[in-house]
Amino acid sequence: MKATIHITLKAGVLDPQGKAIETALHRLGFAQVIQARQGKLIEIDLDESDATTARATLKDMCEQMLANTVIEDYEITLHNDK
Amino acid sequence: MKATIHITLKAGVLDPQGKAIETALHRLGFAQVIQARQGKLIEIDLDESDATTARATLKDMCEQMLANTVIEDYEITLHNDK
C-alpha cells in the first residue's frame, strides 16, 4: 500500500520558505500570486494491505516523528494500488 | 484559485532525506516501511479565476523556478474554491 503524507504549517505559523517563494515569484513577474506556503510531501510504501491498519500506522508515524504537531498539520492519503 | 504543487524527485535520483526517514522509521519499530521518499509541497493562492490560465501560469512557475526539471517532476492540482 502506497501513501502520501502532506505536512503543512498550521495557519498562523510563520513560513519563511513560503514567503521567499512568494517574493521570488513576484520578482519573476508572477504578480497574480497572493500567497505561497511550503510544506513537506512524504511518500511511503508500506507492506500492509489493510487500509485501516495502514492508516493507523501512518498516523502513529506522523505523531511520533514525521510531523511536529505543535506547529504542523498532517494529512494522510492512501493509494489502493496494491 | 488555490493550487497545490507536488515536487518529487524523479525515479532513480538518490533521495538522502527519504532514506533518512526510512531508517528512522525502521529504528522506531515501523518494520513494514518498504520505502520512503521526501518531496516538496507548495500551496499557492492565485488571483486568477480561469482554470486553464491558472494551470498554464503554474506550469510556467514550475519550469522557471519551483522545480529543477532535470531531477524533479511536478504535479499541479487546482482547487475550485474561488
Side-chain angles (χ1 to χ4, degrees), chain B residues 26-38:
Chain B
H26 285 162
R27 208 166 290 159
L28 281 174
F30 296 105
Q32 61 278 71
V33 174
I34 300 169
Q35 199 194 26
R37 289 188 67 85
Q38 177 163 353

Side-chain angles (χ1 to χ4, degrees), chain B residues 9-55:
Chain B
L9 287 169
K10 283 182 198 280
V13 177
L14 221 66
D15 175 11
Q17 276 187 301
K19 208 73 201 163
I21 292 173
E22 203 179 300
T23 311
L25 287 173
H26 285 162
R27 208 166 290 159
L28 281 174
F30 296 105
Q32 61 278 71
V33 174
I34 300 169
Q35 199 194 26
R37 289 188 67 85
Q38 177 163 353
K40 278 181 281 187
L41 173 73
I42 299 173
E43 293 171 320
I44 291 186
D45 200 351
L46 212 60
D47 183 16
E48 173 61 64
S49 50
D50 179 59
T52 315
T53 314
R55 190 173 285 276

Side-chain angles (χ1 to χ4, degrees), chain A residues 51-68:
Chain A
T52 315
T53 315
R55 191 173 285 277
T57 307
L58 290 161
K59 192 169 178 294
D60 274 355
M61 290 179 193
C62 287
E63 296 282 342
Q64 284 185 43
M65 195 195 80
L66 300 176
N68 175 350

Side-chain angles (χ1 to χ4, degrees), chain A residues 6 32 34 39 41 45 47, chain B residues 6 32 34-35 39 41 45 47:
Chain A
H6 284 183
Q32 61 278 70
I34 300 168
L41 172 74
D45 199 352
D47 184 16
Chain B
H6 283 183
Q32 61 278 71
I34 300 169
Q35 199 194 26
L41 173 73
D45 200 351
D47 183 16

